[in-house]
């Protein structure tokens, strides 16, 4: 078995509940933070998945509630996804047929570069590197399927 676990259909793979643990490192200041919570991928209308993440984000020792919502729609090729923000704006594409995917998302003058890795049937990881004039961050999120 290789380093990555191929996923023939990303929407089928992601459906359900996941435990999410994220570290956030500000490369400019050296500060670190952490998110701990749950991510649920539930059916969205007739197709796609609604991604809802909810938990606690701790930064500089201060915990606060955090949440986000995304839409994972069927992508242009079978088994892929078109990821959008809650308001419908494009975020990135997602193709895990090889078990690994790279995606870019320009946000104002900053660039978000994401790496998605499937480790096995119940674990996957994202690493976002955010670079630009206003941000210099690395965000690593580990997901583990909940029963």
């Amino acid at each position: 078995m290789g380093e990555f676990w191929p996923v023939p259909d990303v929407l089928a793979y992601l459906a359900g509940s996941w435990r999410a643990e994220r570290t956030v490192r500000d490369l400019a200041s050296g500060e670190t933070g952490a998110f701990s919570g749950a991510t649920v991928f539930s059916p969205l209308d007739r197709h796609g998945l609604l991604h809802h993440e909810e938990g606690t984000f701790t930064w500089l020792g201060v915990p606060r509630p955090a949440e986000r919502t995304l839409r994972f729609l069927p992508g242009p090729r079978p088994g892929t996804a078109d990821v959008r923000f809650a308001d419908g704006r494009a975020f990135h594409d997602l193709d895990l047929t090889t078990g690994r995917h790279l995606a870019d998302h320009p946000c104002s003058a900053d660039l978000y570069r994401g790496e998605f890795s499937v480790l096995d049937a119940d674990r996957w990881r994202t690493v976002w590197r955010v670079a630009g004039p206003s941000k210099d961050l690395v965000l690593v999120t580990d997901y583990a399927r909940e029963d």
Side-chain angles (χ1 to χ4, degrees), residues 42-55:
S42 56
L44 178 64
D45 301 326
R46 295 182 309 259
H47 63 286
L49 297 170
L50 184 67
H51 161 284
H52 184 74
E53 181 176 272
E54 192 169 344

Side-chain angles (χ1 to χ4, degrees), residues 62-134:
V62 179
R64 26 180 96 79
E67 66 179 302
R68 73 174 174 167
T69 301
L70 299 170
R71 297 174 183 274
F72 282 60
L73 305 175
R77 290 174 317 286
T80 67
D82 174 25
V83 182
R84 302 203 160 252
F85 292 104
D87 64 6
R89 289 176 299 124
F91 188 9
H92 62 83
D93 60 334
L94 186 57
D95 179 351
L96 294 175
T97 54
T98 66
R100 182 173 180 261
H101 182 74
L102 300 176
D104 287 344
H105 174 73
C107 183
S108 296
D110 298 323
L111 177 66
Y112 286 65
R113 174 154 288 156
E115 178 180 358
F116 300 77
S117 308
V118 181
L119 307 174
D120 60 35
D122 298 315
R123 294 179 308 128
W124 61 290
R125 168 181 281 180
T126 63
V127 178
W128 283 99
R129 173 73 173 94
V130 186
S134 63

